[in-house]
Every structure is written in C-alpha cells, then in structure tokens.
Amino acid sequence: MRPELVVYNARLATCNAAGTRVTALATWKGRVFAVGSDDEIRELAGPQTKMVDLGGRFVCPGFTDCHTHLTQWALLASGRTVNLEGAQSLEEALGRVAEAVDRVPRGGWLRGRGWDRNRWPGQMFPTAADLDRVTGDVPAAFPNHDGHSVWVNSEALRRARISDDVTDPPAGRVLRLADGRPSGVFQEGAMGLIWPQVPSPTLEELVTALREAMPVAASLGLTGLHNVESGDSMRAVQALRDSGALTLRIVRYPPASSLTALIEQGFTSGFGDEEVRLGGIKAFLDGALGSRTAAMLEPYENSSDTGVLVMQPEELTELVARATEGGLAVALHAIGDRAVRIALDAFASAKEGHVGRWPRHRIEHAQHILPDDQPRLAQLGVIASVQPAHMLADIATCERQIGERGRWAFPLQSLQRLGTHLAMGSDAPVETIDPLAGIRSALLRQGHDGNPREGWYPEEKLTAQQALAGYTLQTAYASGEEHLKGSLEPGKVADFVVLSQDLLSTPAEELAEAQVLATVMGGKSVYDPEGLLD
C-alpha cells in the first residue's frame, strides 16, 4: 500500500494535542496516511504517488467554522439579497437598497440584511418612512447586523396587517414613533409579526446560491462548518451533496422546535456520516448587544433596560434536561452575563444525577461572562462557541452600551486558562466567514479602525496556537469529531490548507497579508488557482 499524494518541504502544523510540527504528509483514500520528516515520508512513496514540493509553505488542517447561517451567507455572497453590511450611514444603506429595487420580480419582496445603526451618525434606528423613500410599494424586510431586529417599509407593515395600536408580543419589542405608532423596526419575538408574510427563498434559489458559494468557502480554507438553520437549508445541502458539488463537511444544529421529533425518531448527536451529520439543536436565550436585547444583570448605560430573555429559565431547564436525556447537544445562544448565568444553571441542573454520555453542550457567543461564572464552563463540560470577529464591531458597542463592564466581554484567554474548550466561528453572515479574520481578531483584539493599538483588554488575547486550534481541533471536539478531523494525524480525513505565511510564527499584525494558496478536502484539491498541487 503506497500513498496517493505526498507533500513535502513544508512547514506543517499537525494541530494535534502536542502541537507537533513536521515537514511532510502522505494521503491515501482520502485519509492521512502518515506525517513526518521529508525523508520518512518520501520513503513511503511508490511509482504512482504524486510528489509535491511545497517550497517551505505553511500547511495546517482545513478550517471549520463552528457557527454559521449557511444559506443566509450564501444568498448574500452570491448577490441574491441586498448586503447592507458596513454601510456607514442611513443614506448609504438606502442607496444600496435603491440599486436593488428594480431587480425584484413583480409581486416579490425585497430582502437583504446587515444594517447597523451603531455605525451611523447619531445611531438612530431607521424607520419605515426612510425605506419608503427608495422602495415605494415594493415590500421590503431587512434584518440588522446581529439578526435580532428587522426593518420594514410601509408596504410590509400593510401586508403583515400591523395596526397602529399593535402590542408588544412576549419577549419582543415593537419600536415606536413619538406618537406611539410602529416605527418599522421589530426586535426579538416581535419579528414573528413580520416573517410569516415574507416568502422564503425557493429550494432552487438556495441550491444555486450554495453552489456559487462553495468555491468562495474553499478559497478561504474552509473544509467544514456548523450550520444553525432550519430544514430548507438541509434540503439544499442534500441536493448539493447528491450532485457531487458539496465541498464542505456540514454539522447541522436545527431549531429547538425540532427536539420532540428528533427524540421520537431516535436521532442523537452524531447521527450521519463524514460529510453531513447532526450536531444537536439550536436554542435562543437572549438577544444581542447592539440591539440592547442581550440579557444583562445590570442595566445598559444611561438606561433602566436590562435586555430581553426570549425563554424563561424554567423553560430552558426543561429543554436542556429533555435534550440531555435524549442524547442531543444544545447549542444555546447566550450573549449577556445574565443569559450566560441562566444557561450555566440549566446545564448544571441537567448534569446533576445524569448517567451516561454527556452531550457536547455549548454556549453560542458566550460574550459576557462574570469571573464567578467563568470556571463553570470547564467544570460542567460546556463548550464556549465564540466568534472573535464580533470584536471588530462590538468593542465600540461594548464601550457605549455597558462601559467598564466590557472588561468581562470576550474573556477568551481567561476561559482558555480555566480549561474551557474554545470552538471558534464567524456567525456568518453577521461577520466575515474568513477564518483568518477570526484568528487575527483573537490575536489582536482590535476594532474595525485598528484600535486600541495594544488590544482591547490585551490580557485576553489568545496565542496563535490557541487561535488556530479554535478553528481546527476544538471545532472538531465541539461536534464530537475529534477522532475524525481537526488535526493531521494518521487515519483522520486528509483535509488541509496551504497558506502563504506561517500562522504560528508570523507577527499578528502581518497576518492580514496571509493568503490561502490551496485547499484540500479528503485528499482532493477543491481550491488551487495556481496549480500548486498539480
């Protein structure tokens, strides 16, 4: 038995538990056959083995993003919805909307996402009247940057039958004008007043968007991701897989509303195969910082508001207990310090007296954790699923919304020292899906403007090795796949990336210049624009 491919003369980070560095790797039948020195691995080659000299380039396992909204990202990346990310003013956002109005099919809705009033002068929420100026009678709905508010125009209000005296639903807010009428922005549970009227993308639209987005993901070194979306997304993924166009390993976390059906059908975390598998269920506990809906223990600055709980503690405790006994991990969105504490209490309750395998439960985002609660994640075996790139926008937002309490936001190194498993991702399309951007953010802790230069609470910076593990071995651990991927070790899948710079030795400030040169999944090239592996 001889390897099919040997790459040598490389700076190869295996990302195994010991942090082993080698110079060569061999693959066979989609698996890592061996790793070692150039001489050791070249001796294994046969006459049919493809030999590739990488000229000292850096190699590491393929990246996995632990938290994405895959089809939402694909629709945006393929230009099928309006991208409002990064708009620096209301007028800039409206300009982007205006450019898309004429492309809306007759009777259709104008969709998009990503506006962020925290970036705008005055930081005022937009209104339906603002949108009306450019949309006319075309109904329009735009979730904001964090996805916890939706901005609609007057035609959307009419179609959703929103009256002037509409009341706030449970765990939701209808923002209002000075005279009490709905302004056109709906938060958290109130978004449910709008979404039933907005047509979902067709399966054909989703499949086409995913097909066009696969090369983008490969060009960023991604070989896997965890997807927190509903059944339509899964059908699109399956269609892509059936056609042979799926170049990502997908771990799925459907909504918590799926729990009963999953238990009744006997599904548990890990069901599936190496390409598509079930990770668990996704649940929400609170909102987001930018919308002032993250649940905090103390009020936001200059306010009596402490955010929103979209599920009561007793409901959460029951949900986590049922999922645990059913063998299903819970990926629980909790951003505010109050939400994180309630989440930890629910996991602690489920663990008390539990017999059998403990699911890989996780707190999604886990942004604000007080010191007393930080040790509890490792103690309870709960994973912190974090998105370092959120700091690009949230540093300024934290300073404005919670002041000095920002010290306990994104406590990555503190959690690392305590033994917490840190799995990393992007929350795409909320932030860029580029793993290198997430790694840089974990190392630098700076905002979009590059400040503070020394890093925001620099004691919480991660090392390069820790950050790289967050996108490789730790994401594999989060889905119970550390036996299969996340490091380059014999028997594991041959998913790896070739980069222009050594992520473990290049100064963090220079990593912005790092480029993905080639991406390999299962021993086959899925991105290699310059023929490096030919």
Side-chain angles (χ1 to χ4, degrees), residues 162-454:
I162 303 297
S163 64
D164 288 351
D165 58 355
V166 63
T167 58
D168 289 356
R173 292 176 183 162
V174 179
L175 300 194
R176 302 177 189 277
L177 303 171
D179 61 8
R181 291 181 297 125
S183 70
V185 173
F186 297 75
Q187 295 185 321
E188 303 301 343
M191 293 190 291
L193 300 173
I194 300 295
W195 288 130
Q197 307 306 317
V198 183
S200 300
T202 66
L203 180 60
E204 182 181 1
E205 287 176 314
L206 293 178
V207 171
T208 301
L210 282 177
R211 192 182 304 276
E212 294 176 1
M214 287 296 108
V216 177
S219 73
L220 298 171
L222 285 162
T223 56
L225 54 80
H226 299 179
N227 185 30
V228 291
E229 289 183 323
S230 62
D232 286 344
S233 174
M234 188 58 198
R235 281 186 282 273
V237 166
Q238 185 64 45
L240 211 64
R241 171 179 165 152
D242 291 346
S243 71
L246 184 65
T247 57
L248 289 168
R249 302 185 194 276
I250 308 292
V251 181
R252 183 178 175 234
Y253 289 82
S257 57
S258 308
L259 177 60
T260 297
L262 290 171
I263 291 175
E264 288 178 351
Q265 295 299 316
F267 291 108
T268 60
S269 293
F271 175 82
D273 56 30
E274 294 176 2
E275 288 187 324
V276 181
R277 65 164 44 204
L278 177 66
I281 60 168
K282 166 73 183 301
F284 283 89
L285 184 53
D286 69 342
L289 190 70
S291 300
R292 286 199 170 199
T293 53
M296 306 297 293
L297 289 164
E298 300 293 334
Y300 288 93
E301 295 288 285
N302 304 311
S303 171
S304 60
D305 190 3
T306 57
V308 174
L309 283 176
V310 298
M311 187 188 304
Q312 293 305 307
E314 55 273 16
E315 295 178 82
L316 177 64
T317 298
E318 180 183 357
L319 176 78
V320 173
R322 289 184 62 216
T324 300
E325 294 309 310
L328 288 160
V330 178
L332 180 61
H333 170 115
I335 288 181
D337 51 18
R338 182 184 176 207
V340 171
R341 180 168 292 178
I342 291 170
L344 290 168
D345 288 346
F347 290 127
S349 176
K351 194 161 192 177
E352 186 175 351
H354 174 70
V355 177
R357 183 177 65 87
W358 179 243
R360 298 279 168 90
H361 292 310
R362 33 196 280 188
I363 296 180
E364 303 302 307
H365 314 306
Q367 279 189 16
H368 305 272
I369 314 178
L370 294 183
D372 288 350
D373 289 322
Q374 290 175 11
R376 300 178 67 195
L377 283 92
Q379 291 166 1
L380 292 169
V382 172
I383 295 151
S385 168
V386 297
Q387 295 73 46
H390 276 315
M391 281 186 279
L392 294 169
D394 278 2
I395 288 174
T397 303
C398 278
E399 296 290 337
R400 184 169 54 253
Q401 304 281 42
I402 59 175
E404 293 181 356
R405 287 176 290 160
R407 168 65 186 88
W408 310 120
F410 301 95
L412 303 184
Q413 189 57 251
S414 291
L415 292 174
Q416 184 81 38
R417 284 196 302 269
L418 289 163
T420 308
H421 287 281
L422 288 180
M424 298 186 188
S426 64
D427 202 10
V430 175
E431 299 294 348
T432 174
I433 203 169
D434 182 0
L436 294 179
I439 289 172
R440 289 196 304 270
S441 190
L443 300 181
L444 294 171
R445 294 183 65 94
Q446 293 174 339
H448 283 293
D449 59 358
N451 288 310
R453 290 179 61 83
E454 71 282 2

Side-chain angles (χ1 to χ4, degrees), residues 98-163:
E99 292 175 359
V101 172
D102 292 340
R103 300 198 298 268
V104 179
R106 187 175 182 83
W109 280 65
L110 186 59
R111 300 191 302 252
R113 68 168 318 281
W115 57 275
D116 185 357
R117 56 107 184 180
N118 294 295
R119 288 174 173 262
W120 300 348
Q123 298 169 3
M124 299 295 292
F125 278 100
T127 66
D130 293 324
L131 262 184
D132 293 345
R133 286 192 276 137
V134 296
T135 59
D137 61 359
V138 176
F142 296 95
N144 71 333
H145 172 73
D146 58 38
H148 291 260
S149 301
V150 63
W151 172 29
V152 300
N153 64 358
S154 295
E155 179 61 17
L157 291 173
R158 185 186 71 78
R159 295 197 183 194
R161 297 182 175 85
I162 303 297
S163 64

